Amino acid sequence: MKFNRVIHRPLSLTNRVMLFVAIAVSSSLLIIGHLVQSTVERHFEEQDADELVVITQAVESALNRASAERLAPEDVLSKAVSGHHGVYFQVWDEHHQLIFGPPNLQPSRQTITYSPVKKIQADNLYRWSVDEKTFRGTVTQTQVGNHRYRIVAVIDMGFHLHFLDSFGRTLWLIMSLAGVITLLAAWFGVHQGHAPLRALSETMRDIQADRLDMRLDTETVPAELITLVDSFNRMMGRLEESFDQLTHFSADIAHELRTPLTNLITQTQVGLGKSRSLEEYRELLYSNLEEQERLTKMVNDMLWLAQSENGLLRPEREKLELVQEVKATFEFFEALAEERGIRLQVQGKPTAVVGDRAMLRRVLSNLLSNALRFTPEGDTVQVNIWQANNVAHLRVENPGPTIDAAHLPHLFDRFYRVDPSRQRQSEGAGLGLAIVKSIVEAHDGTIVVSSAQGITSFTISFQQVAIDRSNEAGALP
């Protein structure tokens, strides 16, 4: 059974900002709406409390007047409150008998069970419903002569509730419209804010392989995009450099392969031009074999570099003594050195590193081969080895023509030659120093080159030293 992988794309920048704005605006409007509605409701509560205080005081005054004038409370209470719309009150005696008040103000018995308050405030008002009407009221207790009365004062909340319901609908409609307008304004602002990004995208979309020299101007973008533009410019610089190297590399490969292939074709055509002796054909085959071996070595070196750059070649880790490895490599070059009258010399105390023996000897072979090529007859190729600060150093130096400083940074490039007019057959394919640098870096080392006053030197530094400190040697000049 085949399952399709579901890829969840991250939210766009606009959606992220709008989601945050929507949450912030909605939360703010809800809080504001709730506060406004609560404030209005609180205002009505305080207003009702003030009116209930007036009513209660009027009822108490009527009861005191009835007691002073020895009148029946009912006769005085009927005129105690006037000019108050939607206001009702009841008076109960200590025997829980209704003395005055509308009998339909129910549940009247329930009001008796409410605890009387000492001071009427908005926070201690009671609220109940009777016959689809909602009342807000309070219960107080007063002593008049030898009688104790309980006063229930209430206000019909019908007008308040109708106003609050209408006000709430209007308020939330206004809040909703305000939220929509705010979100539209925020979306427009975000859209306009992303205009520089869209402009950058349009500019980047126009970049082609023949326009890798294009750079974006950091002076024309907002401050938030300066880092992005600067990073893009640096990336384009690296791409341009890599593309130029790749272009030159492709041209160099074509040129390097063309020479031996042309030689093979020419020699073969000459050999087939007429009948020749067995010895002549043998010489032709040997000549072709030399060109084929050169092609094979070039292809192998390029494959090796490709594998090294992609991390496919991992050096073996073993303890290697540098002086011994240099002397062992000297044995392969002694005959060539004697033929040219050049001396090979190594100087230094035993210094060990951790690395790959075959790779290290390839480094030494390439450096010595390069040194022997340019050392004048009768001079010496010197190899110095020392250790300082737990770092092993190996320097191969030879006398010869001084290399101009402009060429030094490119010596480790593939197919690079200081003098392109030199015969390529005598110098190889120009991959030796590139391989050297690749091997050294695979061992976490560094290599630098210098050339001055007729002396050219390559210095390698290895961080992985495997030797006792008692064997350390002082730094050589």
Side-chain angles (χ1 to χ4, degrees):
M1 181 180 294
K2 182 178 180 181
F3 296 94
N4 294 327
R5 181 182 178 185
V6 179
I7 300 177
H8 298 282
R9 183 183 298 276
L11 286 175
S12 66
L13 294 179
T14 301
N15 289 339
R16 288 173 186 241
V17 175
M18 291 304 300
L19 179 61
F20 174 79
V21 172
I23 294 175
V25 170
S26 300
S27 301
S28 300
L29 292 179
L30 286 174
I31 293 174
I32 293 173
H34 177 72
L35 290 176
V36 171
Q37 198 163 14
S38 299
T39 301
V40 174
E41 292 179 358
R42 181 68 178 181
H43 170 73
F44 282 128
E45 290 176 356
E46 293 176 351
Q47 187 180 50
D48 290 347
D50 293 339
E51 191 165 2
L52 290 174
V53 168
V54 173
I55 294 171
T56 302
Q57 290 176 350
V59 173
E60 290 179 354
S61 298
L63 290 173
N64 288 323
R65 185 164 63 84
S67 175
E69 297 178 1
R70 298 182 180 277
L71 299 174
E74 296 85 352
D75 297 336
V76 180
L77 291 174
S78 61
K79 301 178 181 180
V81 177
S82 62
H84 293 271
H85 178 73
V87 175
Y88 310 94
F89 69 92
Q90 293 177 333
V91 178
W92 300 74
D93 61 16
E94 60 266 26
H95 303 295
H96 304 302
Q97 296 296 321
L98 179 63
I99 297 177
F100 183 85
N104 61 344
L105 190 61
Q106 298 294 330
S108 58
R109 293 295 177 183
Q110 182 178 355
T111 60
I112 299 175
T113 62
Y114 289 150
S115 299
V117 298
K118 295 181 180 181
K119 183 178 180 181
I120 301 175
Q121 296 177 340
D123 295 330
N124 57 17
L125 299 181
Y126 298 111
R127 180 173 174 172
W128 65 86
S129 298
V130 176
D131 297 333
E132 298 182 354
K133 289 185 177 182
T134 302
F135 299 96
R136 179 184 286 139
T138 184
V139 179
T140 59
Q141 188 171 280
T142 183
Q143 185 75 29
V144 179
N146 297 326
H147 301 281
R148 181 177 296 175
Y149 298 98
R150 188 183 294 263
I151 303 173
V152 179
V154 299
I155 295 178
D156 188 353
M157 295 183 62
F159 174 77
H160 293 347
L161 294 178
H162 176 73
F163 175 82
L164 289 174
D165 183 62
S166 176
F167 176 79
R169 289 195 300 269
T170 304
L171 175 65
W172 292 117
L173 177 61
I174 294 174
M175 291 296 181
S176 299
L177 292 176
V180 172
I181 294 174
T182 303
L183 290 178
L184 289 176
W187 177 86
F188 181 76
V190 172
H191 181 75
Q192 291 299 108
H194 287 167
L197 281 176
R198 292 193 294 273
L200 289 178
S201 299
E202 292 294 333
T203 303
M204 295 176 184
R205 189 179 293 114
D206 294 336
I207 296 177
Q208 304 293 334
D210 57 345
R211 299 180 61 190
L212 294 179
D213 59 337
M214 178 181 291
R215 300 294 184 269
L216 301 179
D217 188 4
T218 57
E219 300 295 332
T220 60
V221 298
E224 294 81 0
L225 299 180
I226 291 179
T227 302
L228 174 64
V229 171
D230 187 57
S231 299
F232 175 81
N233 288 339
R234 288 199 298 268
M235 179 193 71
M236 290 300 299
R238 293 191 297 269
L239 285 177
E240 183 181 13
E241 182 180 357
S242 300
F243 189 81
D244 289 341
Q245 291 178 353
L246 182 60
T247 303
H248 296 320
F249 180 58
S250 301
D252 289 336
I253 288 178
H255 188 76
E256 294 292 340
L257 294 178
R258 181 180 62 182
T259 301
L261 288 174
T262 301
N263 293 339
L264 285 173
I265 294 173
T266 301
Q267 293 172 4
T268 302
Q269 289 175 342
V270 172
L272 296 176
K274 63 179 180 178
S275 300
R276 299 180 183 275
S277 64
L278 181 61
E279 186 64 27
E280 289 176 331
Y281 281 121
R282 181 179 288 110
E283 291 179 0
L284 176 63
L285 291 176
Y286 274 123
S287 178
N288 287 348
L289 179 60
E290 290 178 359
E291 297 296 340
Q292 292 167 356
E293 289 176 346
R294 182 185 175 196
L295 282 173
T296 301
K297 184 179 183 303
M298 187 188 308
V299 172
N300 289 337
D301 287 345
M302 288 188 294
L303 288 176
W304 195 95
L305 285 172
Q307 291 175 337
S308 176
E309 289 181 351
N310 289 278
L312 301 178
L313 294 178
R314 300 183 181 276
E316 298 291 336
R317 300 294 180 180
E318 60 177 313
K319 182 178 179 180
L320 304 175
E321 206 286 299
L322 291 180
V323 175
Q324 294 179 359
E325 295 300 323
V326 172
K327 290 181 179 180
T329 308
F330 278 177
E331 296 178 0
F332 292 98
F333 291 92
E334 286 181 353
L336 179 60
E338 291 178 0
E339 180 182 347
R340 298 185 178 182
I342 299 174
R343 294 183 300 276
L344 300 177
Q345 184 177 346
V346 59
Q347 180 182 355
K349 295 182 179 180
T351 302
V353 296
V354 176
D356 189 294
R357 186 183 305 276
M359 289 186 179
L360 179 60
R361 290 194 177 183
R362 188 169 188 177
V363 168
L364 295 173
S365 297
N366 289 351
L367 292 179
L368 289 174
S369 175
N370 186 73
L372 289 172
R373 184 180 301 120
F374 299 104
T375 300
E377 183 177 353
D379 283 331
T380 301
V381 175
Q382 180 75 33
V383 179
N384 295 324
I385 297 172
W386 74 97
Q387 180 180 340
N389 298 326
N390 204 30
V391 177
H393 303 276
L394 184 148
R395 178 185 296 158
V396 178
E397 59 183 21
N398 66 277
T402 300
I403 303 175
D404 189 85
H407 296 291
L408 295 180
H410 305 286
L411 290 183
F412 299 102
D413 295 345
R414 300 173 183 181
F415 302 115
Y416 187 82
R417 288 182 175 82
V418 175
D419 186 1
S421 65
R422 294 180 182 267
Q423 293 184 355
R424 296 180 180 269
Q425 291 84 349
S426 63
E427 292 193 11
L431 296 173
L433 292 180
I435 292 176
V436 168
K437 183 180 180 182
S438 179
I439 293 176
V440 171
E441 291 179 347
H443 286 77
D444 300 323
T446 58
I447 181 170
V448 294
V449 59
S450 62
S451 184
Q453 299 179 356
I455 298 295
T456 300
S457 63
F458 292 84
T459 304
I460 303 174
S461 300
F462 292 103
Q463 299 292 335
Q464 298 186 4
V465 179
I467 191 171
D468 296 335
R469 291 188 177 273
S470 59
N471 294 327
E472 289 184 0
L476 295 176

